[in-house]
Amino acid sequence: GDDDDSDDDDDDGEQRRRMKRSKKRNGNNNNKKNKNKDNKDNDNKDNKKKKKKKGVKEGKLIEDPTRMSTAELKTHHHHRRQRTTKLVTTMARSILNPTQDRFVIGTIGSSVAAGHDNCHYDSYESQLERTLSPVFAAANMFAIVQNAGEGGGCGDSHQNQVFCITHNVSPDVDVVHYSWTYFENDGAEEQREQLIRWAQRMERRPMVHHLVARGKKNTCNGDNRANVDLDKAYAVYGYNAFCIQTGLYFGGHDYDAEVEAGVNRFGWKFQGDGYHNTTRYGEELPEGDARRGSLGTVFRNWHPGPLGFQIASDAFAYVYVTGLLMALDIIEEDMNAGVDILDRWFDTDGRQLGSTDKENGNSPALRSLAISPPSEPSRHRPLHRALPALNMREPLFCDPLYCSTPHPPNCLNYEKPTFGTPGIAVQNQAGWEIFTEKNKWNKMVGKMDTAIIKAMHDPEWERKCTHLDACGGIFASDSTQGTLVFELPSSKMTAGLVMLCFC
């Protein structure tokens, strides 16, 4: 509007009005020019960002096999053979031991391991158990995957949970899984090394396999020097790492193009991995079924969804079944050659190869694995359950006073679940009370699955959906409740470290 006081017919007033309109037009033009300039600047910035990004972020490999010398490559393959040998030995011993009727994987970890924001039925451990069960049933065995994952709300972390490995999972596990994604920062290699070393003091010297929810396109933590050092130092004990996101990057979607277009397939609630829109068991549900769609979620949020967990489950299943098939090849060759199959896998003498051994060791399976063939068959030798004496290298990161002990730590854990046995007894409980949180079936299940399961009106599905983890402890309301007395396992205590966790 015009703010002058003159008449509309006043020439002077009209002139001023024209001048104002002209200024406005010029001002608008200038604004447009400035805006265009700003837009060009922003476009240039965006283009620079795009040029900088160029797709999915990759890690800088500490050791790249494509750039290794002949000697380095030889060492690299040696470590791979060591891992394979441990894998095959573990599988062979599990199916041949006449006193063993179950193959057990024990998992410790955070809410990722627990399967939070999903039904417990959809956790990777539950999926893995269902996948492996028919395989081991063929050997008259049970496949059991114990899920001792615990949400962060109870105060747990990778720093304290590794000390409770023999209480949280069965002490006779064949494999230990560890997953503390989002909790680990610099220095977590200390806890992983502790776990690897303590696991080798357990009954069956289980392999330790590390599950990571994330991961880069070209590597599963191979861009971290500490991880690479652990991988090499403990390959002989079967240590390995699996990254869900790294596995997904290998196909399904054009992740580079999508990242450049601003699409993050690993963002919240994306469905489908480019090959499948739901899990295998989701495909058995009718089209339009709400649960079928929910099962296709790759990441619920920071927690993987059922389809993301299927990637982890399938990766583990593939490795273990491959090891089992390799073990069966060797067992079959031994049987055809008239070799005592128990002699190879359970003899503890650690003999060097003799002439007869070399003749027996010409099979492709043995040459590929570098597993020493047995000496002349000794069909009457009793089965040795104990493994050979263990002489471990000096630790890289953990304090040898604590992680080179002859026994794993003993623990008493009041949280749920625990699958092992407490290594510390309560001598006198006095008036103290043990408590465990009573959680509803949909605690940490997630809104989508909660609504779907509620609509079923099926108590059995509520049970399947219920997570196992619950906070717990022992408490006294005041000093009149008396003194709580623990009995420490002094015969197994060599370091003298006693830890108590309070809240």
Side-chain angles (χ1 to χ4, degrees), residues 294-335:
S294 175
L295 292 174
T297 306
V298 180
F299 275 85
R300 295 287 190 195
N301 36 54
W302 56 92
H303 293 136
L307 190 55
F309 278 138
Q310 183 174 276
I311 297 295
S313 169
D314 285 357
F316 285 121
Y318 182 83
V319 168
Y320 302 144
V321 173
T322 299
L324 187 57
L325 289 171
M326 295 175 82
L328 288 170
D329 282 343
I330 298 171
I331 292 167
E332 184 178 29
E333 289 179 4
D334 280 353
M335 292 174 70

Side-chain angles (χ1 to χ4, degrees), residues 273-288:
D273 61 6
Y275 297 111
H276 323 92
N277 291 321
T278 189
T279 58
R280 278 189 297 279
Y281 56 100
E283 289 172 355
E284 298 172 4
L285 299 172
E287 290 285 351

Side-chain angles (χ1 to χ4, degrees), residues 46-284:
D46 289 341
N47 288 333
K48 283 180 182 177
K49 283 181 182 177
K50 285 181 181 176
K51 285 179 183 176
K52 209 172 187 179
K53 240 179 188 178
K54 284 190 177 177
V56 177
K57 185 178 180 182
E58 296 188 356
K60 186 176 181 181
L61 295 178
I62 304 294
E63 294 188 355
D64 185 350
T66 63
R67 299 181 179 180
M68 288 181 176
S69 66
T70 303
E72 290 170 335
L73 199 58
K74 186 177 180 181
T75 301
H76 174 73
H77 288 312
H78 171 67
H79 289 141
R80 292 187 65 177
R81 283 194 298 273
Q82 284 182 318
R83 271 191 296 275
T84 304
T85 298
K86 174 64 175 177
L87 170 67
V88 174
T89 302
T90 298
M91 307 312 291
R93 288 175 63 87
S94 71
I95 61 173
L96 289 174
N97 191 340
T99 65
Q100 184 172 343
D101 65 354
R102 60 183 200 158
F103 179 81
V104 183
I105 300 168
T107 305
I108 62 170
S110 65
S111 52
V112 170
H116 284 182
D117 284 322
N118 302 274
C119 283
H120 172 70
Y121 184 85
D122 302 320
S123 66
Y124 90 85
E125 295 95 334
S126 296
Q127 294 191 47
L128 180 58
E129 183 172 291
R130 294 195 297 273
T131 301
L132 291 179
S133 287
V135 177
F136 282 91
N140 293 320
M141 296 177 66
F142 298 97
I144 297 172
V145 185
Q146 299 169 345
N147 185 347
E150 196 77 46
C154 300
D156 291 285
S157 76
H158 59 293
Q159 293 177 312
N160 62 24
Q161 208 183 52
V162 294
F163 283 89
C164 285
I165 184 61
T166 58
H167 191 190
N168 287 5
V169 303
S170 298
D172 62 347
V173 291
D174 298 280
V175 186
V176 169
H177 285 188
Y178 164 100
S179 182
W180 276 98
T181 306
Y182 310 121
F183 280 75
E184 290 189 329
N185 293 309
D186 291 338
E189 58 274 2
E190 177 185 354
Q191 282 74 42
R192 273 183 266 135
E193 185 175 35
Q194 286 174 329
L195 180 60
I196 296 165
R197 295 172 71 87
W198 289 333
Q200 298 313 301
R201 303 297 182 183
M202 295 168 71
E203 182 182 331
R204 294 180 185 162
R205 294 192 188 164
M207 302 176 287
V208 173
H209 288 161
H210 178 200
L211 176 65
V212 183
R214 295 298 182 178
K216 292 179 180 159
K217 180 182 178 181
N218 62 329
T219 180
C220 181
N221 291 344
D223 55 346
N224 180 289
R225 169 54 67 183
N227 289 330
V228 172
D229 290 344
L230 276 179
D231 184 65
K232 292 191 297 183
Y234 296 101
V236 68
Y237 306 117
Y239 176 68
N240 211 336
F242 300 79
C243 290
I244 294 176
Q245 197 165 315
T246 303
L248 286 163
Y249 277 134
F250 276 91
H253 294 290
D254 186 346
Y255 291 100
D256 288 320
E258 291 191 343
V259 165
E260 288 191 20
V263 177
N264 176 17
R265 282 282 170 185
F266 305 114
W268 291 23
K269 301 178 183 177
F270 267 92
Q271 292 187 337
D273 61 6
Y275 297 111
H276 323 92
N277 291 321
T278 189
T279 58
R280 278 189 297 279
Y281 56 100
E283 289 172 355
E284 298 172 4

Side-chain angles (χ1 to χ4, degrees), residues 410 423-427 485-493 497-498:
N410 291 281
I424 298 169
V426 176
Q427 192 180 80
V485 181
F486 294 105
E487 183 178 340
L488 302 180
S490 57
S491 62
K492 293 183 178 180
M493 293 178 66
L497 176 66
V498 178

Side-chain angles (χ1 to χ4, degrees), residues 464-481:
K464 288 180 180 179
C465 214
T466 305
H467 288 295
L468 305 181
D469 58 308
C471 301
I474 188 168
F475 75 99
S477 53
D478 54 55
S479 59
T480 64
Q481 302 300 308

